[in-house]
Every structure is written in structure tokens, then in C-alpha cells.
Amino acid sequence: NDFALGPAAEEEVRRAHSLWKRPAIAVYTRRSLAVDLTALPLRPAERMAVAADIAPEYSLLEVPAPAAGSAISAAGFKPSFKPLGLSELPLATGQLVAIDAEFIAVSEEVTRRGKRGANVVVKPARLALARVSCVRGQGPHHGEAFVDSYIAQAEPVVDYLTRFSGLRPGDLDPSVSPHHITTMKAAYLKLRQLVDAGCVFVGHGLKKDFEMINMRVPPEQVLDTVELFWAPGKRRISLRFLAFHMCEIHMSNRLHDTHDSIEDARTALQIYDKYVELRAQGQAVLDAAIDELYRVGREMSWEVPDAPDRR
């Protein structure tokens, strides 16, 4: 987790401040503690209730009012998501949730000149979670977002990576942002509730996303469209091309050379629905569809043509 432990003088420790150093603590526990905790009769629904009681911002059931001093008033705030309703609880084990996350850089990469004159990356840029969106994968509100958290950063942002994240300066600043701003802790706890409830996450490239979020999700709770439409020994296919070929979708955010996590999550869900449809017709039909996907991809050099209304 990018931690290096070593001795430090007391004077150095006391100079820690939020702009360059974040205090941390190493915790040691008994090996049997994990067993003891699993024996606790605290069910997922109860954990969700406990989280909501601690603070409204941890709840999946309501949209916290904008913070004082934010750019939007409580009366004028129109969230980009609809929280879960009481009729949608308790979340059932295996319930589908489509998810996508966006990241920004909080430190620049460090390079040096190599022996042959090319730049060699000594230390990659450090990324931080900046936005996470969750979309209902089933039920009457199928395809509708219930989490869309923009996360205030504890460190200065050095690059918003707009082409990849869709985020721009001001999006994460409560004083000017028109979005629902929350803390890293609140976003993490919302995701933790979904994992603990046994929800199954649908998305594209989720392994990397969960690693960046620093959250372990059991493999049986992950349905990654990267893997579902992958032929061993061949390239993995982008979300945009899968959407175009399998679902005849032109992703609007890609047309503007950017990203939007709600659209990406919703598109991954549509691709998964297509996978389920093909699989229901038999493995031979699914395999033929994947073979055709690769054939068309090679012919098109994996490029998606412009949407008809942009030609």
C-alpha cells in the first residue's frame, strides 16, 4: 500500500502536515481475531443501519444535504443519482451492481535519463480515487445510478487526467463544484456495505479499479466484461469497442474524448446483459459471437467509427 516503515526522529514526526505527509499507524492483532469477528451475529442489513446511524453521508438510503459553504444550495441540488429505497432492502446476496471509478494524480511521475537517452520512469505517478458510481443491475430501476460520489482530496491534485477521468478543475472543490462531494471514508464505507452484503459487481477492468480503491472483493462477486468477452491468447477489448459491436452503442462520452463513470457503468451492464443473452443460447453461440467480435475488430483495427449524427 505504498508504505515504507523506518525510524524517524521525533522532530521530523512532529513536523507532519496534510500537504505532504499523512499520519498513519501500524496495528497488530491476534491471528485468531478474524475468526472471532466472523462469529459476530452482525448481518449486512444491520451493518448498513449502523453506518447510516453514524452519519448520513455513510448511508445508501439518502442524499446528504450539501455542506455549508458549498456552491449549491440544498433547495437547488439535483443529484445525478437516486439512492436506494426501503423497498430495495435488504440487499440480496448476488444482487447485481454495475460500478465504475475515476482517478486523478496526486503526485507526478519521476523519470531519469537512461543510458540510451530515453526517459525511464523511476517512480510512477500516484493516483487517488476521485469519483465512483454504482448503478442498479436489476429490478424496476435497472440501469439507474444510486451512488455517484465525487471525492474531496486531502492532497493537492497535480493532474485531473481529464481525458481518462472526465474530471476538471473545480469538480472536487465543495466551494465551486455542482456535484455531490463526499469524503474518501464515506465513499469507501458505501462500497464496503455493498461488498459485505454479497452484491456482485459488473464493470470493465474492475481488478485494477478495486486495487486502486484498496478494497478486496471476493472473485465470485466480480463479473468483469474484460474477461467475459476475452479469448485466451488474444488482446483484451476496450469498453468502447465492446459497446459498439455487441450492443450497437456509441458511447457519448467517448465521442467527446472523455469519460463519465455513470455511463461507463451502465454500458458495462448492457454488455453483461448481452453476454447473458448469448450464453442462454448455448456455449457454441457465445463462442461464435466472440470469434466474430475478434474478426470484426481486426478488420476495423479496433477503431470505432463516428456515430451517424457526427459524420
Side-chain angles (χ1 to χ4, degrees), residues 203-205 207 223-231 236 275 290:
H204 194 80
K207 179 180 179 181
L223 292 168
D224 198 325
T225 52
V226 165
E227 306 298 333
L228 296 180
F229 286 96
W230 173 62
R236 286 175 166 81
Y275 171 83
I290 293 176

Side-chain angles (χ1 to χ4, degrees), residues 94-98 135-138 199-202 223 269 272-273:
Q95 187 160 331
L96 294 181
V97 172
V135 171
R136 296 167 174 86
Q138 56 197 83
C199 292
V200 174
F201 295 91
V202 177
L223 292 168
L269 181 60
Y272 172 71
D273 289 341

Side-chain angles (χ1 to χ4, degrees), residues 6 8 21 24 47 55 73 75 85 120 146 151 153 177 193 195 197 215 234 242 247 255 307:
K21 190 182 295 185
R47 286 196 288 270
S73 66
V120 178
F146 65 94
I151 299 166
Q153 300 298 306
S177 177
Q193 293 172 60
V195 175
M215 179 173 290
K234 298 183 179 180
L242 282 175
C247 304
L255 296 177

Side-chain angles (χ1 to χ4, degrees), residues 186-227:
Y188 188 93
L189 285 177
K190 286 184 177 182
L191 294 179
R192 187 75 259 168
Q193 293 172 60
L194 298 175
V195 175
D196 291 347
C199 292
V200 174
F201 295 91
V202 177
H204 194 80
L206 290 183
K207 179 180 179 181
K208 181 179 179 181
D209 282 355
F210 285 130
E211 285 178 352
M212 294 296 302
I213 296 171
N214 197 21
M215 179 173 290
R216 183 189 178 279
V217 181
E220 62 271 18
Q221 288 180 236
V222 177
L223 292 168
D224 198 325
T225 52
V226 165
E227 306 298 333

Side-chain angles (χ1 to χ4, degrees), residues 22-293:
R22 301 177 70 177
I25 184 170
V27 179
Y28 296 84
T29 63
R30 290 184 291 108
R31 291 184 177 180
S32 62
L33 184 59
V35 177
D36 296 341
L37 291 176
T38 56
L40 290 175
L42 192 59
R43 295 181 295 276
E46 293 172 333
R47 286 196 288 270
M48 292 179 66
V50 169
D53 286 342
I54 294 174
E57 64 176 332
Y58 302 154
S59 175
L60 291 166
L61 298 173
E62 58 182 298
V63 183
S70 66
I72 47 179
S73 66
F77 179 45
K78 296 182 179 179
S80 54
F81 60 100
K82 179 179 180 179
L84 295 177
L86 291 175
S87 62
E88 297 177 272
L89 298 178
L91 293 171
T93 299
Q95 187 160 331
L96 294 181
V97 172
I99 185 172
D100 188 68
E102 308 294 354
F103 303 89
I104 44 86
V106 292
S107 73
E108 297 178 345
E109 70 177 17
V110 178
T111 63
R112 62 175 174 78
R113 186 74 66 179
K115 294 181 179 180
R116 298 184 179 181
N119 286 333
V120 178
V121 177
V122 177
K123 184 177 181 181
R126 185 159 55 87
L127 305 183
L129 178 65
R131 183 186 179 190
V132 61
S133 304
C134 295
V135 171
R136 296 167 174 86
Q138 56 197 83
H141 300 291
H142 177 276
E144 188 170 357
F146 65 94
V147 170
D148 188 28
S149 298
Y150 288 73
I151 299 166
Q153 300 298 306
E155 302 174 81
V157 179
V158 300
D159 191 343
Y160 282 87
L161 305 175
T162 302
R163 181 182 175 187
F164 306 103
S165 70
L167 297 168
R168 291 177 168 78
D171 281 348
L172 307 179
D173 183 350
S175 64
V176 297
S177 177
H179 307 295
H180 169 57
I181 304 294
T182 188
T183 63
M184 184 74 74
K185 182 177 181 179
Y188 188 93
L189 285 177
K190 286 184 177 182
L191 294 179
R192 187 75 259 168
Q193 293 172 60
L194 298 175
V195 175
D196 291 347
C199 292
V200 174
F201 295 91
V202 177
H204 194 80
L206 290 183
K207 179 180 179 181
K208 181 179 179 181
D209 282 355
F210 285 130
E211 285 178 352
M212 294 296 302
I213 296 171
N214 197 21
M215 179 173 290
R216 183 189 178 279
V217 181
E220 62 271 18
Q221 288 180 236
V222 177
L223 292 168
D224 198 325
T225 52
V226 165
E227 306 298 333
L228 296 180
F229 286 96
W230 173 62
K234 298 183 179 180
R235 64 177 289 163
R236 286 175 166 81
I237 302 173
S238 70
L239 179 67
R240 184 185 182 192
F241 195 87
L242 282 175
F244 164 74
H245 179 78
M246 302 306 303
C247 304
E248 299 182 351
I249 295 173
H250 284 271
M251 299 180 66
S252 62
N253 61 35
R254 299 304 199 275
L255 296 177
H256 298 91
D257 201 24
T258 184
H259 283 238
D260 179 86
S261 54
I262 288 182
E263 182 178 6
D264 287 2
R266 190 176 290 135
T267 301
L269 181 60
Q270 291 174 284
I271 293 171
Y272 172 71
D273 289 341
K274 184 65 176 181
Y275 171 83
V276 172
E277 175 189 324
L278 292 169
R279 188 180 59 183
Q281 299 175 49
Q283 188 63 42
V285 173
L286 176 60
D287 290 342
I290 293 176
D291 289 342
E292 178 68 5
L293 168 66

